[in-house]
Amino acid sequence: VLQVDPQHVLRRLLDDFEWTVEGSVDALIPEFGQVELVDSEGQSFAITEHTQGVDWSSLREGQRLRCRVRGVLTPRVLSATVLA
């Protein structure tokens, strides 16, 4: 008999879910090697040296980005593109 923990399954689905978000660079945090992106709903995302597609150190406050994100409970930006 196979036993499945529904909470584990749900967590895996939420952690593996990929989605796109657009937002603006809200803060530069050079001491942590990242910038903070905020979407239209106020959710924050970190752009770091590990984010593909952009160099976090070249970003400026107010720039708009489109990001590919993985995970809902603990979202991680996989890649980003500068829009403006």
Side-chain angles (χ1 to χ4, degrees):
V1 174
L2 177 64
Q3 293 185 351
V4 178
D5 179 1
Q7 289 182 348
H8 175 74
V9 172
L10 180 58
R11 185 175 305 271
R12 284 296 303 223
L13 287 171
L14 292 175
D15 285 346
D16 291 342
F17 183 73
E18 289 190 16
W19 46 293
T20 301
V21 65
E22 290 185 13
S24 297
V25 174
D26 187 60
L28 308 172
I29 313 168
E31 58 272 17
F32 292 111
Q34 71 181 40
V35 301
E36 181 180 272
L37 179 85
V38 176
D39 71 6
S40 61
E41 296 179 7
Q43 185 171 359
S44 296
F45 302 88
I47 306 293
T48 71
E49 64 184 21
H50 302 291
T51 305
Q52 295 179 7
V54 295
D55 175 6
W56 73 269
S57 65
S58 69
L59 298 173
R60 301 291 172 253
E61 285 187 33
Q63 280 186 300
R64 299 222 13 105
L65 303 175
R66 178 178 294 126
C67 301
R68 190 76 184 144
V69 179
R70 176 178 288 150
V72 175
L73 300 176
T74 53
R76 182 172 64 97
V77 178
L78 302 174
S79 63
T81 304
V82 176
L83 299 176

